[in-house]
Amino acid sequence: MKTTSVRSRLLLPVFLVTLGLLTCFGALLFWKFRNARPASAIRQLRINEICTVNPGTAIDEATTYEDYIELYNPTDEAISLGELWLSDNPRHCDLAPLPDKTIEPHGFLCIYAVGSEGGSPEGQPSVPLSVSEGETITLAWKHQSESGITTSLLVDSVTLPSSIRPGAVYARTGDGGPEFDQLRPTPGSSNQDASSVPEAPVIETASGFYENEVAVTITAKKGMTIRYTLDGSDPTSDSPEYTVPLTLTDPSKNPDQYASRTDITEEDSGYLPPETPVDKAVVLRAAAFDSQGGVSNTVTATYFLDFSEKEGYEDAVTLSLVTDPENLFSSEKGIYVRGALYDNAIDAGLIYNGLPWSFLTDYTNYYLEGRSSERAAHVQLFDASHNLALSQDCGIRIRGNESRHFPQKSFTLFSRKKYGKSTFDPVLFDTDISYPNLILSCSRTLKKAFFFDLVADRDTATQRYLPCQVFLNGEYWGMYYLMEKYSAEYLAGHYDVEQDNTLLIKDTRYVEDGDYEALQNYRDLRDFLSQADFSDPENYAELLTKMDMQSFIDWMCTNIYIANTDTKPLGGNVLTWQTVTPENDTEGDGRFRWILYDLDDSLGVGTDLATTPAYAFDSFTGHAVYAALGFLDDEPMPALMKNEDFRRQFVLTFLDLANENFRWDRVKALLDQTAEQKPWADKSWDRWNAAPETATFDEELQDLHTFFEHRAEYIIPMLADHFGLEGTLADVTLTSVPADQGSVVLNTITPDLDNADWTGQYYTDYPITLKAEPAEDSEFVRWEITGGEIANGAIEDSEIQVRLDGDTRIIAVFEKK
């Protein structure tokens, strides 16, 4: 038998067996692959609408501001989401598993993208993703077999544009279809009902101050219809159509639309609107309309005409605040008026005329709070030379407590991404800080802002501010203070700390900014303050690791000196802050610090000023009728007063403030500067005081003048009495030192010695601390002391302590290198 024949007969069965095995294996692979494929309906599921900045959408009777990803089921089958995932990273499509939900045939489901720390609206599905412009959002199916084999498939993918217009979502123009556009939100319903958000028109003529009249040109994309308003309202399809340049003239003689209202405070308040029309600017608002019913966002401009002929605006910063009148003055949603809440409560007998404001907080629109009380607006700020410095959309809310019922109300301004920008442009206060929020505080009292100027250099935070003349929807609304708002951004900007590492607490229990869990840090401090015996040096040393004692003492001494009756260091109307994780050895060291806040009730408000003038009020232990205790009797002062180091630091700091920050000639100079606001303030007073409610600007200046001229002679002996000082009050004179030689630090102050000697008064009970700081090309040589003696250090040491035996003169001797 031939060898070739035998091999052929042997290979045939091997071939047949191999073919059978391969066939079986192929069948197994086929069935495995088939079983690992998603159902046809799942492969047709589509990402239908993506909201990156929710402007506020309705869920039942609530409003949510969480972003979302809407899915659409175009099939006739219900689809389970059990093996589906969403992601904002195309390389990792399985970042967020979808909840165990079902989308009905031709149905919609919103998945809320709440980020790593957010919370979805109650009862709504969510994923821990954040969706942003420019990202790619994927929907993927992933299956794991019983044997552990994982199979995945990309179901849908949508790349968001780099810029989405405020108020718009990125959505399919036809549900499940291939085309996308920027549409109005329709979460949970068909996109067929959504209108587009076309590009806004451009007002080519700049906002600003003009003489006589101004011709205004508006442009838009071809095919768009431009409509405009002149009363602050958002343009609608019924608004006038723009066809040719508008010629605008001064409307000041026209009847008031908003300044004439009387429903902006209680019926029996006695408030009377202005007797003659207020000054007015022209507010122009425009929007573009397309043929399909799409409406652009509104653009706004403000024109001040012939204002060189009007009094009260020379060199004044001017602010125009514009919002649809319904947002402020409608009975149902207007946040500036009593509104339907009040009317309904009167009809129901829940309230009646004559009740104090504190009984009406639940029954007036202007006491509404939170996101539901925020209204869209546009703010424009013109500097003292009338150049446009800021122009952007924002949100506004009424702010304050008692002041909400004042006719001239204060606002908080919010810059949010949904309005176009997350922060206001950094053009304010010369800080280079981009603020997310600003305060527009009514100028009812001058002192609320003035005190910040006096202690801006101290270790307690203060707010910078700009007096400005405000126009609301084009009508003069009075002088306001545009102010910094304390926030994480404020702390990061002023103290060079990490914004995400700060904790800001209001009234000892509300977290204004930061992680709520970190509030426990403050609770631990309070517990330690209430439980420890600070006569024990070890306990006091431990306390100094938890709180910045100089910041606390600066806060206390300032409030006591100005006789603030509406704050407590561990109570109401106080802000405290810390860096949660220590960053450095200065303000970022993790210790708690204090912030000056709400100084309206200074100068002894709430006390019997008829018998005891404000400057003679003992604010160490005295208090207003609505308070139970004075500063020294309230926590934590009784515990701290047991420690001698604390008492010494407090006494010397108080005298430092009295001798330098509150020194009469310094205060008088600042009051003289503040008097330059008189033309603006007088105009504002005339606007709001047809039936006089508040002191005039001159009267307020005089009150401050009188208070500070006499305060030291009363409050300094009170300091000695309450701290048991037995020494005498001695003059300390520092001899003049040219600035090019050096400077001298006295305790916590650095007096100006460049041109003249400096004199302050200190009790002889405690030695004072002196530190010589030579200029760059100089060196410190020695101290020359007359009337006192060195208690610690040597005559050639740059830092010493001096015991006062009586009036003392001290000379710091420097020499050029």
Side-chain angles (χ1 to χ4, degrees), residues 187-206:
S189 61
S190 174
N191 292 351
Q192 304 296 132
D193 302 327
S195 60
S196 65
V197 184
E199 286 189 26
V202 176
I203 301 176
E204 302 285 355
T205 309

Side-chain angles (χ1 to χ4, degrees), residues 178-313:
E179 301 295 328
F180 280 82
D181 197 359
Q182 297 192 36
L183 306 177
R184 298 295 177 190
T186 57
S189 61
S190 174
N191 292 351
Q192 304 296 132
D193 302 327
S195 60
S196 65
V197 184
E199 286 189 26
V202 176
I203 301 176
E204 302 285 355
T205 309
S207 296
F209 288 72
Y210 294 84
E211 296 299 324
N212 301 320
E213 61 186 34
V214 61
V216 178
T217 301
I218 313 173
T219 59
K221 278 198 167 183
K222 188 175 180 180
M224 294 290 180
T225 299
I226 302 172
R227 297 188 179 276
Y228 69 93
T229 64
L230 297 173
D231 63 353
S233 61
D234 292 310
T236 68
S237 57
D238 295 325
S239 300
E241 180 180 348
Y242 171 86
T243 55
V244 296
L246 301 173
T247 299
L248 305 177
T249 58
D250 182 9
S252 294
K253 293 182 180 179
N254 295 343
D256 298 334
Q257 296 185 62
Y258 314 116
S260 60
R261 301 188 70 105
T262 59
D263 59 347
I264 59 177
T265 186
E266 297 94 285
E267 287 183 277
D268 58 345
S269 68
Y271 168 70
L272 296 175
E275 297 177 352
T276 58
V278 298
D279 292 336
K280 297 177 181 66
V282 178
V283 170
L284 173 63
R285 311 197 83 185
F289 293 71
D290 63 25
S291 57
Q292 288 77 43
V295 185
S296 75
N297 292 314
T298 298
V299 292
T300 306
T302 309
Y303 303 98
F304 298 88
L305 304 169
D306 290 337
F307 268 69
S308 62
E309 304 298 323
K310 298 177 173 63
E311 294 182 356
Y313 305 103

Side-chain angles (χ1 to χ4, degrees), residues 56-65 110 112 120-125 187-188:
T57 55
I59 297 181
D60 299 325
E61 295 182 359
T63 300
T64 183
Y65 297 91
C110 272
Y112 286 89
S120 63
E122 186 175 357
Q124 302 298 315

Side-chain angles (χ1 to χ4, degrees), residues 372-592:
S372 64
S373 70
E374 187 170 317
R375 304 291 183 261
H378 187 86
V379 61
Q380 291 185 299
L381 184 72
F382 302 85
D383 65 22
S385 299
H386 294 164
N387 298 313
L388 183 62
L390 174 71
S391 181
Q392 68 185 77
D393 291 337
C394 64
I396 58 173
R397 300 182 196 173
I398 304 298
R399 70 173 283 107
N401 190 20
E402 180 183 2
S403 65
R404 286 172 179 258
H405 88 112
F406 297 164
Q408 186 191 21
K409 306 183 194 306
S410 299
F411 296 92
T412 303
L413 312 182
F414 298 88
S415 186
R416 305 187 193 278
K417 194 176 178 183
K418 72 175 185 177
Y419 301 122
K421 293 183 179 180
S422 298
T423 59
F424 291 101
D425 291 332
V427 299
L428 305 170
F429 315 118
D430 298 323
T431 61
D432 292 328
I433 299 173
S434 293
Y435 299 93
N437 310 320
L438 293 168
I439 293 172
L440 195 58
S441 181
C442 75
S443 61
R444 184 182 176 97
T445 58
L446 165 65
K447 57 189 177 182
K448 72 167 65 177
F450 177 73
F451 291 133
F452 291 137
D453 293 332
L454 296 178
V455 292
D457 63 329
R458 301 301 303 185
D459 286 342
T460 175
T462 60
Q463 291 166 291
R464 299 193 184 190
Y465 67 95
L466 283 173
C468 53
Q469 296 288 48
V470 170
F471 286 74
L472 187 61
N473 279 4
E475 296 191 359
Y476 178 64
W477 218 253
M479 191 175 92
Y480 279 74
Y481 298 114
L482 182 66
M483 308 177 73
E484 294 178 291
K485 188 175 188 295
Y486 294 125
S487 64
E489 289 78 7
Y490 170 97
L491 297 173
H494 280 282
Y495 298 110
D496 194 24
V497 294
E498 291 297 324
Q499 181 176 313
D500 294 337
N501 188 33
T502 56
L503 173 68
L504 178 62
I505 302 170
K506 178 181 178 181
D507 294 345
T508 74
R509 58 190 185 276
Y510 303 116
V511 175
E512 288 283 285
D513 258 318
D515 184 356
Y516 182 81
E517 292 183 0
L519 181 60
Q520 186 60 44
N521 297 346
Y522 186 78
R523 291 170 175 162
D524 292 343
L525 171 62
R526 287 201 63 164
D527 289 344
F528 190 67
L529 283 167
S530 64
Q531 297 168 11
D533 176 8
F534 295 117
S535 63
D536 183 340
E538 291 187 3
N539 286 339
Y540 189 69
E542 183 178 351
L543 178 64
L544 297 184
T545 68
K546 300 176 183 293
M547 61 186 281
D548 184 327
M549 191 56 72
Q550 189 61 58
S551 174
F552 173 79
I553 291 175
D554 277 3
W555 186 94
M556 284 288 296
C557 291
T558 298
N559 280 293
I560 289 172
Y561 200 99
I562 67 175
N564 187 5
T565 55
D566 194 21
T567 188
K568 291 290 185 289
L570 300 181
N573 279 344
V574 62
L575 290 169
T576 47
W577 75 280
Q578 71 162 172
T579 51
V580 179
T581 301
E583 299 177 19
N584 53 53
D585 294 333
T586 54
E587 286 85 356
D589 58 11
R591 295 186 296 168
F592 277 98

Side-chain angles (χ1 to χ4, degrees), residues 57-378:
T57 55
I59 297 181
D60 299 325
E61 295 182 359
T63 300
T64 183
Y65 297 91
E66 298 290 348
D67 301 338
Y68 61 83
I69 301 167
E70 180 194 74
L71 303 180
Y72 172 61
N73 175 7
T75 74
D76 295 328
E77 303 177 27
I79 298 177
S80 172
L81 304 182
E83 294 182 310
L84 289 166
W85 299 66
L86 282 170
S87 174
D88 56 1
N89 186 342
R91 295 184 178 182
H92 302 282
C93 295
D94 56 351
L95 292 183
L98 294 189
D100 189 14
K101 292 279 186 178
T102 298
I103 303 182
E104 298 303 317
H106 304 285
F108 305 85
L109 180 66
C110 272
I111 310 293
Y112 286 89
V114 297
S116 59
E117 298 180 357
S120 63
E122 186 175 357
Q124 302 298 315
S126 66
V127 289
L129 298 177
S130 297
V131 291
S132 302
E133 297 166 342
E135 289 183 337
T136 296
I137 307 300
T138 61
L139 175 67
W141 173 85
K142 189 172 82 169
H143 172 78
Q144 188 173 47
S145 68
E146 293 181 358
S147 60
I149 298 175
T150 299
T151 308
S152 61
L153 178 73
L154 182 65
V155 176
D156 196 14
S157 174
V158 176
T159 298
L160 293 160
S162 59
S163 178
I164 297 177
R165 295 172 196 122
V169 297
Y170 193 60
R172 299 179 189 271
T173 54
D175 297 321
E179 301 295 328
F180 280 82
D181 197 359
Q182 297 192 36
L183 306 177
R184 298 295 177 190
T186 57
S189 61
S190 174
N191 292 351
Q192 304 296 132
D193 302 327
S195 60
S196 65
V197 184
E199 286 189 26
V202 176
I203 301 176
E204 302 285 355
T205 309
S207 296
F209 288 72
Y210 294 84
E211 296 299 324
N212 301 320
E213 61 186 34
V214 61
V216 178
T217 301
I218 313 173
T219 59
K221 278 198 167 183
K222 188 175 180 180
M224 294 290 180
T225 299
I226 302 172
R227 297 188 179 276
Y228 69 93
T229 64
L230 297 173
D231 63 353
S233 61
D234 292 310
T236 68
S237 57
D238 295 325
S239 300
E241 180 180 348
Y242 171 86
T243 55
V244 296
L246 301 173
T247 299
L248 305 177
T249 58
D250 182 9
S252 294
K253 293 182 180 179
N254 295 343
D256 298 334
Q257 296 185 62
Y258 314 116
S260 60
R261 301 188 70 105
T262 59
D263 59 347
I264 59 177
T265 186
E266 297 94 285
E267 287 183 277
D268 58 345
S269 68
Y271 168 70
L272 296 175
E275 297 177 352
T276 58
V278 298
D279 292 336
K280 297 177 181 66
V282 178
V283 170
L284 173 63
R285 311 197 83 185
F289 293 71
D290 63 25
S291 57
Q292 288 77 43
V295 185
S296 75
N297 292 314
T298 298
V299 292
T300 306
T302 309
Y303 303 98
F304 298 88
L305 304 169
D306 290 337
F307 268 69
S308 62
E309 304 298 323
K310 298 177 173 63
E311 294 182 356
Y313 305 103
E314 186 176 0
D315 299 327
V317 174
T318 307
L319 186 144
S320 171
L321 190 63
V322 180
T323 185
D324 192 292
E326 291 285 300
N327 290 332
L328 295 179
F329 302 114
S330 73
S331 181
E332 295 298 328
K333 63 178 291 189
I335 58 173
Y336 207 100
V337 295
R338 299 188 300 263
L341 287 174
Y342 183 91
D343 295 337
N344 294 338
I346 288 285
D347 292 342
L350 298 174
I351 58 175
Y352 53 87
N353 289 331
L355 283 175
W357 66 269
S358 57
F359 288 80
L360 302 174
T361 57
D362 292 333
Y363 305 107
T364 45
N365 286 14
Y366 44 71
Y367 272 97
L368 293 172
E369 295 183 307
R371 280 285 186 99
S372 64
S373 70
E374 187 170 317
R375 304 291 183 261
H378 187 86

